[in-house]
Amino acid sequence: MRLHVVRFAGCAGFALALLGGAAGAEKSGTPDPARTAAQVDQLLNAEFGRVGAEAAPRCNDADFLRRASLDLASRLPSPQQVTLFGLNPDGEKRAKLVDELASSEDFARNWARYWRDVIFMNATDMRSRRGMGTFEDWMTDRLQAGGKWDEITTELLTATGDVQENGATALFFAHGSEAPEVAAEASRIFLGIQIQCANCHDHPSDVWKREQFHELAAFFPRTALRPVLEDGRQRSFEVVSVNADRGGRGGPFGNNPEQFLRFIDRNRDGKVTKAEVEASPRGQQLGQIFPRLLDLGDKNKDGGLDLEEMKTLPMPDMQRRGSTEHYMPDLSDPSSRGKLIQPKFFVDGDKVEQGMSDHERRQAAAKAFTDPSNPWFARAFVNRMWSEMLGEGFYMPVDDMGPTRSARFPEALDLLSQGFVASGYDVAWVMKTIARTDAYQRQIRPKPVSEATLPFAAQTAMRLRSDQLYGAMTQVLGYREQAAPAGRGVMGMMAAQRSPRNQFNALFGFDPSTPQADLTGDVPQALFLMNSPQLRGAVQATGGGRLAQLLQKNRDDQDAVSELYLLVLCREASDRELAISQGYIKEVGNRGEAFEDLMWSLLNSSEFLSKR
C-alpha cells in the first residue's frame, strides 16, 4: 500500500507512526492499557491547563460500576455488587472490574448488538432485518474468541453463503448486494468517511472525486443476493459470487429464466406480471424497470412475459446491474450504460489487477481497508469506541471523518490508534484502555452551550441503547428473557423478529453512529414507558415479583426505599430522596400502592434511561 503524502499531509506522520508502531509491537508486544490511558490523560490535561479549563473530578464508585457495567457488558450491577464494590479498599478495583467485564460473554454480546445496529439501522434492503439475529450470533462468537477488528472486517467484506448460516454476509444482505450501497457503507463504517456524497458529483466538502467513489464500488459488482429454494419454496437468501456476465441470454432475469418463472409466477398462468414482480423478493430491483421490459418483450401484449419472451428479451441499455463490471452512470444520458470503471482504492490510489474474480477483488478491498498504512481504519474504530463510551468523539459525527476535517485532541487520538494497531487490532484492548482513563471516569457535568468549550473535561450523560435499556429493565423487574423463536426459512426469521427484545428494539432502537445531541425520545417511547401493560404488570407489590420480594424482605419503609434505589438506580438514596419517599408513602396510606408508584417513577426517570 502506498500513502499519498501530498494529499494527506496531515495524516502522513500518523500513518508512518502506525507503521513504526506496528513494527515495534512485534518486538515489545501489546501496549499496556493502563500506561496508554495515563499518556492519553496527560495529553488531555495539558490542553485543559493551556486554556484554563477545569476538569471534573472522578465519579464515585457506584457511578463507575454502573457506567462500566452498562458500557462493557450491557448489564446493571446488583445491589450486593454496588455495596461490596464501594466497601472494597483495593486501589486497583476499577481496573480489575474492567478486565473482568471485558472478558465476559456479555461483553461480546453487547458489542455484537452495537455493530448489528450500525449495519442494519441503515439497511437499504428491509428484508435484511430478518438476518439480524444470525449476524449477532456470528459477531458474538468472533468477539468471544478474541477476534481482531481487521479479521472481522475482512470477513464482512468477503463473505458469501446463506444469510441464515453465515452472519458475515450481513453487510451485503443489508444492501441487497448492490455495489454502490455496499461501498458507501463499508467506507462509512470501517473508515468513518462518507464517500457516498461523491456518488453523483465531486464531494461538496471533501477532496473525494466522483470517479473515486465509483472506483471503490467497482470492487463489489460481482456479488448477487439470490433466493434459496427448498421444495419449491423460498427458504432463505444467499450472497453469491458471480464471475460470468449476469446479463447474457437471460438478461435481467439471470441465466435461468425457467427458475425465475417458477418462483415469480404465483398464479401459475405461465407468465409474470408487474404485480407479481413487485411482490417478489427482487421487487425493489426489478419493479422500476419492468414496464420497460414489457415494452421490449411483451410481443402478444397480454401484460406479462412468458418464458419464450423472457428468453428473447434484449438487454436494455440501462440494465447496468446485469453486468459483473461496474459502470459510472452518465448523468447527461441516464439510459446509457455509462463509463466502465476499474477498482481503485480512493485512500492511496492503489489499483488491482484486471481479470480478478469476485473473491480476489473483495480480498484486495479488505486488504486496502485494513492495511496499517491506511490512516483511517484504526482512527475510525478508536473514534467510534471513544464516542460510545464518553458521549462524543475526537471527530463528530463519528462516521464523517476525512482529510479536510480536524480532530479534537489529535495527539490523543493518534496515540490510541497507534496502540490499537500495535495490539494487532485487539477490540477489547481499546475498550479496556478507554475505561482506564480519567476522562472516562469523570463526573457528569452539564454540557456548555459554547462550541468553543473543550470536550472530555467531564463525562456526558448518554441515552442507553435499546438493548442496554431492555436488559436493565428485565434485570430490575426480574424477567427471565426468552430466547428468540428458532426456525428454518423465511418464516422462522420473521418469527425471531417478533421476540420481546426485538419488538422493544423496533421502538427504542437507533443508529449508534448518531451524535447523542441528536437523540431525543419520542411519544411512542414515552407512552410505552408510562402505559405498557407488561411494565405495569411487573411493577406489582403483590405476587412473586421483584417489588413484592423487596417489600417482604424489608418491613421498614426506609430500608425498603434504600433497597429500591439500589435495585433500580444502582446507588444509595440521598437523605432528601428518603424524606420525599417516606412522606409520599404516608400520604398515600397504602404501602404497596405507594411503592408501586415509586418504582414506576424511578423506571421512568432520566437517570434510569441514561448512563451517568
Side-chain angles (χ1 to χ4, degrees):
M1 299 291 294
R2 300 191 306 274
L3 184 68
H4 283 193
V5 178
V6 175
R7 176 172 291 176
F8 298 102
C11 304
F14 168 76
L16 295 175
L18 285 181
L19 289 171
E26 296 177 359
K27 299 177 182 179
S28 58
T30 299
D32 176 36
R35 181 176 181 182
T36 304
Q39 292 171 333
V40 169
D41 283 323
Q42 288 176 358
L43 292 170
L44 299 182
N45 292 334
E47 188 63 14
F48 295 151
R50 188 185 69 80
V51 300
E54 181 182 354
R58 280 192 170 198
C59 64
N60 60 41
D61 284 341
D63 285 352
F64 178 81
L65 176 62
R66 182 179 188 269
R67 182 184 301 173
S69 297
L70 283 169
D71 273 336
L72 297 178
S74 191
R75 66 181 186 227
L76 292 177
S78 68
Q80 183 182 28
Q81 288 175 315
V82 175
T83 301
L84 293 178
F85 191 75
L87 294 174
N88 187 351
D90 187 352
E92 294 297 315
K93 63 183 178 182
R94 295 192 179 191
K96 292 177 180 179
L97 171 70
V98 168
D99 288 341
E100 177 187 341
L101 292 169
S103 62
S104 68
E105 184 176 351
D106 287 339
F107 172 88
R109 180 67 64 177
N110 172 47
W111 290 103
R113 287 168 172 161
Y114 170 90
W115 289 107
R116 176 204 67 198
D117 289 347
V118 169
I119 290 175
F120 287 98
M121 284 295 178
N122 276 323
T124 54
D125 190 332
M126 291 301 102
R127 299 171 299 178
S128 66
R129 296 291 179 94
R130 306 168 189 171
M132 294 170 71
T134 305
F135 169 80
E136 183 185 314
D137 291 341
W138 171 82
M139 191 67 160
T140 299
D141 290 342
R142 290 297 182 273
L143 294 175
Q144 184 68 21
K148 309 301 184 183
W149 187 237
D150 59 332
E151 297 170 351
I152 291 171
T153 299
T154 296
E155 286 195 66
L156 287 168
L157 290 175
T158 60
T160 56
D162 191 317
V163 299
Q164 288 192 75
E165 299 171 359
N166 183 5
T169 58
L171 183 62
F172 287 87
F173 190 19
H175 301 284
S177 284
E178 294 297 329
E181 284 78 9
V182 171
E185 280 298 278
S187 178
R188 183 184 74 87
I189 293 171
F190 303 124
L191 304 181
I193 294 173
Q194 298 206 17
I195 195 174
Q196 78 274 9
C197 296
N199 187 351
C200 299
H201 46 69
D202 291 346
H203 199 294
S205 60
D206 224 321
V207 299
W208 317 121
K209 304 301 181 183
R210 181 172 181 241
E211 192 154 329
Q212 289 179 296
F213 170 80
H214 289 280
E215 288 168 343
L216 179 63
F219 282 97
F220 306 110
R222 296 181 175 183
T223 64
L225 183 66
R226 291 180 175 171
V228 177
L229 303 180
E230 190 174 90
D231 298 328
R233 294 187 175 185
Q234 183 181 345
R235 180 181 66 78
S236 181
F237 297 94
E238 62 179 347
V239 175
V240 297
S241 292
V242 183
N243 293 308
D245 197 294
R246 300 206 293 271
R249 188 179 168 195
F253 304 109
N255 292 319
N256 193 343
E258 292 87 354
Q259 184 183 49
F260 181 87
L261 179 64
R262 288 196 302 270
F263 182 66
I264 301 296
D265 182 18
R266 295 299 185 186
N267 61 6
R268 297 296 183 258
D269 63 353
K271 65 181 179 182
V272 294
T273 63
K274 185 173 185 292
E276 288 173 325
V277 167
E278 290 178 340
S280 74
R282 291 189 64 189
Q284 186 177 13
Q285 300 174 26
L286 290 178
Q288 294 181 345
I289 67 170
F290 195 75
R292 172 65 173 154
L293 300 180
L294 282 175
D295 290 341
L296 292 170
D298 185 14
K299 300 186 184 304
N300 58 10
K301 304 303 178 185
D302 62 351
L305 295 174
D306 59 29
L307 182 59
E308 289 305 314
E309 288 172 335
M310 283 193 282
K311 286 182 175 181
T312 59
L313 186 70
M315 173 72 73
D317 289 339
M318 63 183 176
Q319 180 56 22
R320 289 181 294 272
R321 291 174 180 168
S323 172
T324 54
E325 299 297 340
H326 180 73
Y327 294 84
M328 183 171 68
D330 184 345
L331 300 181
S332 62
D333 185 9
S335 66
S336 71
R337 196 161 198 169
K339 178 182 178 182
L340 176 64
I341 299 293
Q342 295 299 324
K344 184 177 179 182
F345 193 50
F346 68 101
V347 172
D348 60 7
D350 268 8
K351 301 179 182 179
V352 301
E353 296 178 6
Q354 294 196 22
M356 281 186 168
S357 67
D358 168 61
H359 180 72
E360 291 169 330
R361 279 193 179 187
R362 290 198 280 153
Q363 282 284 355
K367 185 177 185 300
F369 270 80
T370 62
D371 195 291
S373 67
N374 176 2
W376 302 111
F377 182 67
R379 277 185 167 187
F381 184 87
V382 168
N383 188 54
R384 267 188 177 276
M385 297 301 99
W386 183 275
S387 177
E388 182 62 23
M389 295 179 68
L390 276 84
E392 56 184 331
F394 299 98
Y395 287 92
M396 291 299 291
V398 295
D399 56 1
D400 195 12
M401 301 162 56
T404 64
R405 290 156 178 75
S406 299
R408 287 136 357 142
F409 299 99
E411 296 86 357
L413 174 59
D414 287 355
L415 181 64
L416 285 166
S417 300
Q418 291 170 32
F420 181 40
V421 176
S423 75
Y425 296 112
D426 186 339
V427 170
W429 181 89
V430 175
M431 280 72 140
K432 289 192 289 187
T433 302
I434 294 173
R436 281 171 167 79
T437 63
D438 288 338
Y440 176 76
Q441 299 182 49
R442 297 193 195 283
Q443 294 177 5
I444 287 176
R445 286 179 177 173
K447 188 172 178 61
V449 177
S450 172
E451 294 185 358
T453 304
L454 288 176
F456 318 141
Q459 256 284 14
T460 301
M462 300 171 60
R463 289 177 61 88
L464 294 178
R465 299 197 316 274
S466 61
D467 284 297
Q468 293 171 322
L469 180 57
Y470 183 82
M473 294 181 70
T474 57
Q475 279 184 258
V476 169
L477 299 174
Y479 276 159
R480 288 181 62 88
E481 184 177 355
Q482 297 179 347
R488 285 176 61 81
V490 175
M491 297 306 295
M493 296 166 75
M494 295 177 68
Q497 286 184 281
R498 294 192 292 269
S499 71
R501 177 182 285 273
N502 288 338
Q503 289 182 315
F504 187 88
N505 288 346
L507 182 60
F508 285 87
F510 56 84
D511 179 4
S513 310
T514 308
Q516 281 287 320
D518 296 343
L519 295 174
T520 57
D522 56 32
V523 173
Q525 292 174 356
L527 290 175
F528 175 87
L529 293 172
M530 291 188 291
N531 302 322
S532 165
Q534 295 87 349
L535 182 58
R536 283 196 167 276
V539 183
Q540 294 289 332
T542 58
R546 184 64 62 85
L547 180 58
Q549 296 173 15
L550 184 149
L551 293 178
Q552 291 170 7
K553 178 182 175 183
N554 298 277
R555 297 297 181 180
D556 180 82
D557 287 347
Q558 180 170 321
D559 290 345
V561 170
S562 296
E563 192 72 15
L564 185 62
Y565 268 79
L566 280 172
L567 174 66
V568 180
L569 300 183
C570 306
R571 65 170 176 82
E572 297 280 355
S574 68
D575 291 341
R576 183 170 181 271
E577 289 166 333
L578 285 172
I580 292 174
S581 298
Q582 290 178 289
Y584 182 73
I585 296 168
K586 292 179 181 178
E587 178 184 335
V588 172
N590 182 309
R591 187 174 191 247
E593 182 181 331
F595 270 95
E596 288 175 1
D597 291 344
L598 285 173
M599 186 174 195
W600 181 87
S601 65
L602 293 180
L603 287 169
N604 278 271
S605 68
S606 59
E607 184 175 349
F608 179 76
L609 301 174
S610 63
K611 290 187 290 186
R612 67 169 193 271

